[in-house]
Amino acid sequence: LVSDNVTDIVVTAERDLWVATGPQWLLEEPPVPEVQSEWGRRHGGVSFLDTGGTTDPGDDAWTANDCEAFQVTVTCQVQAMALDPDGVMWAAIAGRGVVWFPGATGQIMDERARRIDLEGGPSDDFVDAIGFGPANDPRLGDTVWLGRRRGGVSVLDHQGTLRSRGDDVWDFDRGGPLSVSDGLAVSRVQALAVSADRVWLGLGSDYGRPGGLTPVTV
């Protein structure tokens, strides 16, 4: 693991494992005894476990995607991950939106990954939950639902062309993310589940205001 601070886990169809992490506390020993040791937050990113399709740990192989080795793709704080029906892995990377990359490679390579900024809402917002529309639904099959810490829910419809951003549609062209102005108790969305006729949103508390569970018809 690139860090012992695990924030999310995704199991693939091949029984391999993606592990999202945030920075961990480490006691750093200085090179000279005259300087006092001190605690610091280090590392983070994404680890991949290739199980070899077995339950035997003897053939497990780990791949570390440490944030300190990446300049663009992976941040040290990865809050959430999710695998879409096409085998593409999505990861929420601190306040920099989301990144997607092939879910079967194990190694995240800059040239095969793409970062997507959030539209609407605060520019320093975090994504805390990721979901996808049902693959067999022509209207929702290419949608990615992003639960935001401060900005409600953003919905990206990539129209089946992930590498082409020119035809992306955000929030069903409604002008902004789903938020308190649409009836949500708060704009802090920490969990979500998408079904054929509705989306279930798990809301956190926000400055003393309760969140709870909210269904949204789609």
Side-chain angles (χ1 to χ4, degrees):
L1 290 172
V2 294
S3 168
D4 288 337
N5 181 13
V6 175
T7 55
D8 205 358
I9 303 170
V10 176
V11 180
T12 72
E14 292 76 26
R15 294 189 291 180
D16 297 328
L17 209 66
W18 286 93
V19 183
T21 70
Q24 64 184 355
W25 287 99
L26 294 174
L27 182 62
E28 299 179 335
E29 302 288 348
V32 292
E34 293 78 13
V35 180
Q36 187 175 4
S37 302
E38 61 179 22
W39 288 93
R41 286 169 62 81
R42 296 291 182 268
H43 303 291
V46 177
S47 292
F48 178 78
L49 172 62
D50 184 347
T51 65
T54 75
T55 57
D56 180 7
D59 59 5
D60 288 355
W62 284 95
T63 300
N65 297 279
D66 195 320
C67 64
E68 297 184 12
F70 290 85
Q71 297 299 315
V72 178
T73 308
V74 178
T75 60
C76 293
Q77 179 66 48
V78 180
Q79 304 89 250
M81 299 186 74
L83 188 65
D84 76 13
D86 295 321
V88 175
M89 183 63 67
W90 294 74
I93 50 172
R96 301 182 59 215
V98 294
V99 64
W100 61 264
F101 47 88
T105 59
Q107 182 71 44
I108 302 174
M109 296 175 285
D110 283 342
E111 65 272 15
R112 300 192 66 186
R114 295 291 186 274
R115 187 174 70 85
I116 298 177
D117 290 317
L118 296 174
E119 292 200 1
S123 60
D124 60 344
D125 205 358
F126 279 56
V127 172
D128 283 334
I130 305 173
F132 309 102
N136 59 353
D137 187 331
R139 188 170 59 94
L140 301 176
D142 295 321
T143 57
V144 184
W145 296 70
L146 306 173
R148 301 170 61 160
R149 191 169 299 181
R150 297 172 57 199
V153 179
S154 287
V155 184
L156 167 65
D157 187 348
H158 56 74
Q159 313 226 18
T161 57
L162 266 178
R163 291 193 171 273
S164 174
R165 302 301 310 280
D167 60 353
D168 287 355
V169 176
W170 281 93
D171 305 316
F172 303 105
D173 254 347
R174 60 192 298 276
L178 184 69
S179 65
V180 291
S181 61
D182 300 288
L184 298 187
V186 296
S187 290
R188 188 183 183 97
V189 181
Q190 301 180 156
L192 59 83
V194 186
S195 66
D197 60 350
R198 66 182 61 189
V199 179
W200 293 92
L201 305 178
L203 309 179
S205 61
D206 187 19
Y207 296 104
R209 294 176 296 172
L213 184 66
T214 298
V216 176
T217 302
V218 296

